[in-house]
Amino acid sequence: CIRDSVCVDTGTLLDHDEGMLVGSMARGLVFVHGETAESPYVASRPFRVNAGAVHAYVRTPDGGTKYLSELQSGDEVQVVDLEGNTREAIVGRVKIEQRPMFRVALETESGDRVETLLQNAETIKVASAAGRKAVTDLESGDEILLYYEDTARHFGEAVEENIIEK
């Protein structure tokens, strides 16, 4: 299906093991690699994370979240590496374009289901148990890196109330 997809271009270069945490549900954010890898399809863009659909959340340096559609030049986003180290990055621009997308659904060890929409492209990579993997190569049963917290959010801030996301 074709949806509005968001690329977050930062004002800093990302290392090969860095990306952002994004997701349709604030309690479970998928690690999406920056476009640092070489590809036969496009040149690397080591300042960019092709983050997902406009409705998705992205983690901010203060531990909150923002909708991808709300981001604009000058905002701060959290960059994370595969070891969990974080730093902040300034958004240089946000590019929204219509692209084919698909749903990535995950189940946590506790049985909770979370998901997100990602662009259906070979250049979009997630961190899997087998290493960096293109989303087009994902298969049922693959384990991918997920930031999970058992909390609800309201206006990007963690709250102690019962919110149902599905």
Side-chain angles (χ1 to χ4, degrees), residues 22-53:
V22 297
S24 295
M25 300 168 177
R27 69 184 182 276
L29 303 175
V30 173
F31 176 91
V32 178
H33 276 283
E35 291 190 11
T36 58
E38 292 299 322
S39 163
Y41 307 101
V42 296
S44 72
R45 296 179 186 105
F47 51 82
R48 172 175 290 172
V49 175
N50 193 320

Side-chain angles (χ1 to χ4, degrees), residues 11 16 18 20 29 43 61 71 77 84 115:
H16 191 65
E18 288 183 315
M20 291 179 193
L29 303 175
L71 290 179
V77 289
E115 61 186 58

Side-chain angles (χ1 to χ4, degrees), residues 19 22 38 54 70 82 97 113 124 127 133 154 159 161-162:
V22 297
E38 292 299 322
V54 291
E70 292 178 337
L82 295 174
E97 52 195 1
R113 291 184 53 87
I124 313 308
K133 191 167 193 174
H154 187 64
V159 293
E161 66 180 274
N162 187 21

